[in-house]
Amino acid sequence: MGSYSEVPPVEVHCHGFGDVDFSDFTKVDLARLDTWCAREGVLSLPTMYLHRDHLTEFEDFVHEYDRMRGEGLLPHVAGIALEGPLLASHGGTPAATVWAPNRYEWERLAALGPYGLKYTVLSPDAFSPASELSDEPGARDTGFGWIVPLLAAHGIRPALGHFTRADPAAIAALVDEIVELAWQSEWAGDGVRVVTDHLFNDMPLTIRHAFRSSRARAERDTVIASYDLPSWSLDTIAEIAGPVPAAIMRQAAAGRIGACVNFDGEHVDLAIAARAVQLMGMDNSMMMTDRCDSARLGGQDLYHVVDNGLWYQEDGIVAAGSVPLARQQANALSQGLSATDVHALAGGTAHRVFGLSARSDLRLPTV
């Protein structure tokens, strides 16, 4: 990783530490969050859900973050991120936080880029007929040809995720289109212009990517052996896993996407996750936790099941993970990845992708 060899790990996509639900941003104590990050030895990009009627409060929160960052009070909070609101399929995201901003609302969100908003998760197929948002007025008022250049001009990355399963080939083409738009647009940020939400989660697949129950785990070794993971290549991955993950992986391998992969062993099988990052390259892959420490997220109550450590919402859909970054690094090492590889996944790539090393207030965490 060259100059990134000494950088601290980064919790790229996380929803809550301790009893703090980041999505309740009117109550988030940023100084306390920074102290928590220092204790764990990480930087964080707290990831939030946004209700439409809370946009003003979110603007105030980001401006307060920027003020405190400018005063050197938040050396371990590397930026702010949004999951949504432009999601074609809400998945574990609270339904009330999925909506199609109109032009004025997009302009307000984009204006937060210089103040610390690093990325916003959006669905490439958000405007398709299969999308939950296809009938919203905001969906008819905008379009990626306008949204992506607007975000880029303010240094905000589209984070691709929450896909429908209606037309995988068409969605893959939209992935390529958005990446190209971002790289052709005027860019006000540092680092890589496009990132992703979880690779393999909330997208159309032709493989079984996770084994979350005791019954599923009993079949796991046979299924994984049948996939012949060592034979996977970027040339064949579309036939193996489907066109959408293939589009993301090829764009990542080309250095045009910073791709997030969860190594908790529950969102994605660890062997599949390890093979994916080998194909994309460690310098293009980032470990994400989707972590929430408490049983509440985005205004909804969560619960565990017996078979795994994931958090579920009331309709039985996975809402978040619970495995911290240190354990994910150990999981990656258990798959034969080297310590150098794991350091890249847990921190080095994130510093490059988000341009964090250009910030003078970021330093190695101290306890």
Side-chain angles (χ1 to χ4, degrees):
M1 291 299 295
S3 61
Y4 297 102
S5 60
E6 299 301 322
V7 298
V10 182
E11 287 256 11
V12 172
H13 183 122
C14 50
H15 289 295
F17 289 174
D19 60 356
V20 178
D21 172 4
F22 296 153
S23 292
D24 192 1
F25 46 81
T26 61
K27 298 179 181 177
V28 172
D29 184 334
L30 284 166
R32 183 176 172 219
L33 171 59
D34 190 85
T35 299
W36 191 287
C37 293
R39 187 183 306 127
E40 292 204 1
V42 300
L43 307 183
S44 70
L45 283 167
T47 304
M48 304 175 173
Y49 303 133
L50 177 62
H51 291 79
R52 189 171 215 149
D53 58 357
H54 292 172
L55 177 54
T56 297
E57 289 89 344
F58 181 67
E59 290 171 310
D60 292 342
F61 174 81
V62 176
H63 283 280
E64 175 64 9
Y65 162 75
D66 182 64
R67 182 193 67 78
M68 295 179 68
R69 175 180 65 171
E71 294 177 4
L73 301 176
L74 302 174
H76 305 93
V77 184
I80 306 297
L82 281 176
E83 184 165 358
L86 192 70
L87 305 180
S89 173
H90 73 267
T93 303
T97 64
V98 177
W99 47 281
N102 59 35
R103 288 195 170 220
Y104 175 59
E105 290 163 331
W106 273 121
E107 288 166 349
R108 291 171 65 183
L109 287 170
L112 298 175
Y115 299 95
L117 183 59
K118 292 291 187 181
Y119 69 79
T120 181
V121 178
L122 52 78
S123 303
D125 52 339
F127 302 119
S128 72
S131 170
E132 297 176 6
L133 300 176
S134 60
D135 293 330
E136 282 207 16
R140 297 191 293 271
D141 187 41
T142 60
F144 288 123
W146 179 80
I147 293 170
V148 173
L150 174 69
L151 294 176
H154 291 82
I156 300 174
R157 299 154 187 81
L160 311 182
H162 285 265
F163 304 86
T164 67
R165 291 165 172 77
D167 190 342
I171 297 170
L174 290 170
V175 169
D176 290 335
E177 180 181 320
I178 289 175
V179 172
E180 185 63 23
L181 268 172
W183 283 91
Q184 293 297 325
S185 298
E186 179 181 348
W187 173 239
D190 298 305
V192 178
R193 303 184 186 198
V194 183
V195 294
T196 69
D197 198 11
H198 319 244
L199 180 64
F200 299 122
N201 296 114
D202 288 317
M203 66 180 61
L205 296 171
T206 54
I207 59 170
R208 187 172 183 176
H209 70 294
F211 304 85
R212 294 170 180 166
S213 67
S214 299
R215 181 175 180 179
R217 285 192 288 273
E219 304 169 347
R220 184 262 176 196
D221 290 351
T222 300
V223 173
I224 292 298
S226 73
Y227 291 158
D228 189 17
L229 296 179
S231 72
W232 285 16
S233 71
L234 292 175
D235 292 334
T236 60
I237 195 64
E239 300 172 9
I240 296 167
V244 174
I248 291 171
M249 292 171 70
R250 286 196 298 264
Q251 292 283 3
R256 285 155 57 93
I257 284 179
C260 286
V261 184
N262 199 304
F263 271 85
D264 63 4
E266 297 173 334
H267 278 88
V268 180
D269 182 84
L270 290 175
I272 292 175
R275 187 63 185 132
V277 299
Q278 288 170 336
L279 291 174
M280 294 186 294
M282 303 303 161
D283 289 359
N284 303 312
S285 307
M286 297 180 289
M287 194 174 281
M288 66 169 281
T289 64
D290 199 32
R291 170 183 170 187
C292 180
D293 290 348
S294 66
R296 189 160 180 82
L297 176 59
Q300 61 185 359
D301 293 326
L302 307 178
Y303 66 92
H304 284 306
V305 298
V306 173
D307 283 329
N308 60 62
L310 296 167
W311 286 110
Y312 290 80
Q313 57 174 313
E314 61 181 359
D315 52 5
I317 296 175
V318 173
S322 62
V323 177
L325 197 59
R327 281 177 53 196
Q328 295 215 14
Q329 292 178 75
N331 287 346
L333 287 169
S334 76
Q335 298 304 301
L337 300 182
S338 70
T340 299
D341 290 342
V342 173
H343 187 86
L345 292 171
T349 300
H351 281 261
R352 181 181 69 83
V353 167
F354 294 108
L356 300 184
S357 294
R359 277 185 48 187
S360 61
D361 59 331
L362 292 181
R363 53 182 168 79
L364 282 168
T366 56
V367 178

